[in-house]
Amino acid sequence: RAIDVAGAAVGLALTAPLMPFIAAAIYLESPGPVLFRQRRAGSLKSVRSNAGKRELTFHEFEMHKFRTMIMDAEKHTGVVIAGADDPRITKVGKFLRKSRLDELPQFWDVLRGKMDIHSHCYRADEIVMLARLCEEFGIKVHTFQHILEGYKVAPEVKAHGANASILPDWWAYKMEAYDAIPFNAAIM
């Protein structure tokens, strides 16, 4: 938790000067709230069986991002994944998504204790490099997210004492995931 608070505080301090300009650009192109809020599933709260089926319950929280779509973008379509040329995405929104600046308000969610700072590690070399770097500084990675090639370095992940999330990143599918999908879950 201390790493989350320190990381989020530094992140907010470094990016705070950009935020008024981002907010103004969003509002000038598409008047309305500049932040997008959405309920998200957080940590697992409970698992129970009901008629032979497992039911998972999660802690829910409200996630914040800079708005990248027109107002009421989901009013007529409902919640759908935005494609690359989705007409609901504004010009400013395209830039914010590409640069990941739309994610800056999530530092606040980390400070509130609703999210953790984490690292996506797709390739085996990235996983090992991050684990070794953290060990040099006395930091333990709690969970490697999207650890697509984790099966190639499972002993190293275990030695580091980390957990692993092996869900493939379907929204930004990568070719290196092609061989990972059938093998990763079975081996990890």
Side-chain angles (χ1 to χ4, degrees), residues 11-69:
L12 277 172
L14 292 175
T15 60
L18 298 173
M19 291 188 189
F21 296 105
I22 293 170
I26 292 168
Y27 187 82
L28 288 173
E29 183 178 8
S30 175
V34 296
L35 290 179
F36 171 74
R37 295 172 174 89
Q38 188 176 55
R39 280 178 41 165
R40 294 281 173 97
S43 59
L44 183 64
K45 188 170 20 174
S46 67
V47 179
R48 62 180 217 160
S49 275
N50 186 10
K53 291 185 178 181
R54 292 175 72 181
E55 293 180 356
L56 307 177
T57 306
F58 295 90
H59 292 278
E60 294 183 4
F61 70 98
E62 192 172 69
M63 179 271 315
H64 300 84
K65 286 186 173 189
F66 280 119
R67 182 169 57 86
T68 59
M69 292 187 171

Side-chain angles (χ1 to χ4, degrees), residues 12-164:
L12 277 172
L14 292 175
T15 60
L18 298 173
M19 291 188 189
F21 296 105
I22 293 170
I26 292 168
Y27 187 82
L28 288 173
E29 183 178 8
S30 175
V34 296
L35 290 179
F36 171 74
R37 295 172 174 89
Q38 188 176 55
R39 280 178 41 165
R40 294 281 173 97
S43 59
L44 183 64
K45 188 170 20 174
S46 67
V47 179
R48 62 180 217 160
S49 275
N50 186 10
K53 291 185 178 181
R54 292 175 72 181
E55 293 180 356
L56 307 177
T57 306
F58 295 90
H59 292 278
E60 294 183 4
F61 70 98
E62 192 172 69
M63 179 271 315
H64 300 84
K65 286 186 173 189
F66 280 119
R67 182 169 57 86
T68 59
M69 292 187 171
I70 59 172
M71 281 299 302
D72 298 323
E74 297 173 340
K75 185 176 183 179
H76 300 292
T77 62
V79 179
V80 293
I81 297 171
D85 294 323
D86 192 317
R88 301 172 301 160
I89 301 174
T90 64
K91 290 175 187 169
V92 172
K94 283 184 183 184
F95 171 76
L96 293 175
R97 284 174 175 230
K98 189 171 183 124
S99 62
R100 304 283 191 197
L101 292 172
D102 62 322
E103 310 269 353
L104 295 180
Q106 291 179 6
F107 282 131
W108 174 246
D109 295 326
V110 173
L111 278 179
R112 294 186 316 137
K114 303 300 181 182
M115 294 177 71
D116 292 322
I117 293 177
H118 66 273
S119 173
H120 285 218
C121 294
Y122 296 99
R123 298 187 337 246
D125 61 319
E126 294 174 328
I127 297 163
V128 172
M129 180 274 309
L130 181 60
R132 288 182 181 157
L133 180 66
C134 288
E135 287 167 2
E136 285 181 34
F137 290 93
I139 299 170
K140 179 183 175 290
V141 175
H142 181 267
T143 304
F144 287 103
Q145 301 289 328
H146 298 244
I147 187 170
L148 295 178
E149 291 189 359
Y151 68 99
K152 294 180 180 179
V153 291
E156 288 87 345
V157 173
K158 182 179 180 183
H160 185 74
N163 296 306

